[in-house]
Structure formats: structure tokens, C-alpha cells
Amino acid sequence: MKKIIFLSFIFIIGCASVTVKAPKEPIKVDITMRLDIYQHVQKDIDTIENMISGEKKNPEKIKNESRILSFLGIAFAEEEFLTSEVEEAISRRRERWEELNRFKREGIIGENRFGLLEIRNLEKTDKNIDNLVRDENNDRMLIYKSIAKKNNVSVEEVQKLYSMRLQKDSPEGTPIEVFNENSGKYEWRIK
């Protein structure tokens, strides 16, 4: 008798069917994680550019940040991606900063949409300016790759955000590559 009950039970289980139905409500995807990543990328960009330009943080902001960090007992790891190679690139960029701004003001070099320098006035350029632009772009790419790796984003995403900061910080007279909504294309304008 136990065998018959057992076999009946197995038979019933073996014949069971499973029905899968789509949910009545649409599936929602939370994009706050992506936004948070971009905030971290922007913070890294601001940190590096402030180091290069010599811009100081607001003392009140530093005071408030240190209270929060000491309260939480968290070590300040803002610069964990600053390897010695990146620090050297930042140092070299800091040394070139004034000279590059002079050439930007004169319209000789400009900031493109990829966060790189581009020679815009070939008549006024020479070998020294070519080398200066090449060296600056190499150091920028090294920094972009470091930020991308730290934040697990593409280098292109970092370049897009970085270009906005660099164009904003460039002096008047700098050629900048911007998107024209009317034509749907990028074009060069003088800041």
C-alpha cells in the first residue's frame, strides 16, 4: 500500500505544470546607481583640476567635510586613484598650465569635445606648441584612464565630463568645440 501511495505521489508531481506570467506592472529600473557614479567621476575631475589650477576649496566646506568624516571614522580616500604616474602627470600639467592658457587666449589652441587640446591656428604654431599639445594630451589621457578604471566607467564617459570642466575653466578667447542643437553637429566657437 505504501508503494502505491508513493508511486501515486511521484506520478502527480511528475505531471505538475508550471505557468509563468508577465507582471501586470511594468518592470522599473533604478538609475540612481549610474548617477552616483557620475557624481564620483565629477568629484575626481574637480579634485584634479583644482590641484592643477591651484584653486582652493572653500574653508567652510573643508571644515564641514572633516566633521562628517571624523564622525563616521572614515579615512579620506578621495585620492586613492592618484598613483605616482598620475601624480607626475598632474605635476606636468600644472607646470604647463599658464603657457597653455596664453595660447588658448590667443586662439592658437582650443579645447575639443573629447577633453583634449587641438591646434586651431596653424599659421601661428610651431614645433614647441605641437610638442606642448602632444604632451598635455598624453598626460590628460593617462588621467582619464585612471579615473575611468577607478569608477568602472568608459574612458569616453570620463572625457565627455572632463571636457565640460576644461571648457568652462578656459580663458576668454579660447576656441571650444560645442554641440549646436540647431544643426545637430559639433562646431568650434570662441569662448
Side-chain angles (χ1 to χ4, degrees), residues 103-104 106-110 118-126 129-130 175 188 190:
F103 292 130
K104 287 179 183 182
E106 294 173 10
I108 297 171
I109 58 175
E118 197 170 308
I119 296 175
R120 298 301 303 158
N121 189 335
L122 296 174
E123 296 171 1
K124 293 186 177 181
T125 191
D126 61 24
I129 295 173
D130 290 341
W188 286 89
I190 301 297

Side-chain angles (χ1 to χ4, degrees), residues 134-158:
R134 184 200 63 233
D135 293 345
E136 177 70 10
N137 285 341
N138 288 341
D139 285 338
R140 287 184 182 190
M141 286 305 298
L142 192 140
I143 291 167
Y144 298 164
K145 288 175 184 175
S146 175
I147 292 173
K149 182 178 178 183
K150 175 189 177 236
N151 292 289
N152 197 27
V153 297
S154 71
V155 174
E156 292 78 17
E157 289 174 291
V158 173

Side-chain angles (χ1 to χ4, degrees), residues 3-167:
K3 275 186 171 181
I4 293 174
I5 293 173
F6 180 72
L7 290 174
S8 299
F9 180 72
I10 297 290
F11 179 74
I12 292 170
I13 291 176
C15 295
S17 65
V18 177
T19 306
V20 178
K21 293 182 179 179
K24 292 179 182 179
E25 296 294 319
I27 297 173
K28 296 178 183 178
V29 178
D30 185 12
I31 62 168
T32 56
M33 179 67 167
R34 201 72 190 152
L35 181 60
D36 186 46
I37 289 171
Y38 283 116
Q39 290 172 342
H40 289 291
V41 170
Q42 191 62 55
K43 185 176 180 181
D44 293 342
I45 291 168
D46 292 341
T47 298
I48 290 172
E49 284 308 301
N50 291 344
M51 291 169 72
I52 291 167
S53 68
E55 186 177 311
K56 303 291 183 204
K57 270 190 167 180
N58 181 346
E60 186 61 34
K61 188 173 181 181
I62 291 173
K63 183 178 172 185
N64 289 338
E65 282 179 359
S66 63
R67 274 192 216 143
I68 291 168
L69 292 173
S70 64
F71 175 73
L72 295 174
I74 298 173
F76 190 65
E78 178 177 73
E79 298 163 0
E80 65 190 34
F81 63 102
L82 295 180
T83 62
S84 61
E85 191 176 34
V86 171
E87 286 179 355
E88 289 169 8
I90 291 169
S91 178
R92 289 187 300 266
R93 287 192 61 214
R94 187 180 313 117
E95 291 170 9
R96 292 185 207 105
W97 193 71
E98 286 296 327
E99 187 175 17
L100 287 172
N101 279 338
R102 181 172 54 90
F103 292 130
K104 287 179 183 182
R105 278 189 296 275
E106 294 173 10
I108 297 171
I109 58 175
E111 291 285 351
N112 71 22
R113 68 180 188 250
F114 303 111
L116 298 172
L117 292 175
E118 197 170 308
I119 296 175
R120 298 301 303 158
N121 189 335
L122 296 174
E123 296 171 1
K124 293 186 177 181
T125 191
D126 61 24
K127 187 89 168 149
N128 291 333
I129 295 173
D130 290 341
N131 291 337
L132 187 69
V133 168
R134 184 200 63 233
D135 293 345
E136 177 70 10
N137 285 341
N138 288 341
D139 285 338
R140 287 184 182 190
M141 286 305 298
L142 192 140
I143 291 167
Y144 298 164
K145 288 175 184 175
S146 175
I147 292 173
K149 182 178 178 183
K150 175 189 177 236
N151 292 289
N152 197 27
V153 297
S154 71
V155 174
E156 292 78 17
E157 289 174 291
V158 173
Q159 286 180 273
K160 184 177 179 181
L161 290 171
Y162 222 118
S163 70
M164 290 188 277
R165 168 69 192 253
L166 292 168
Q167 289 180 359

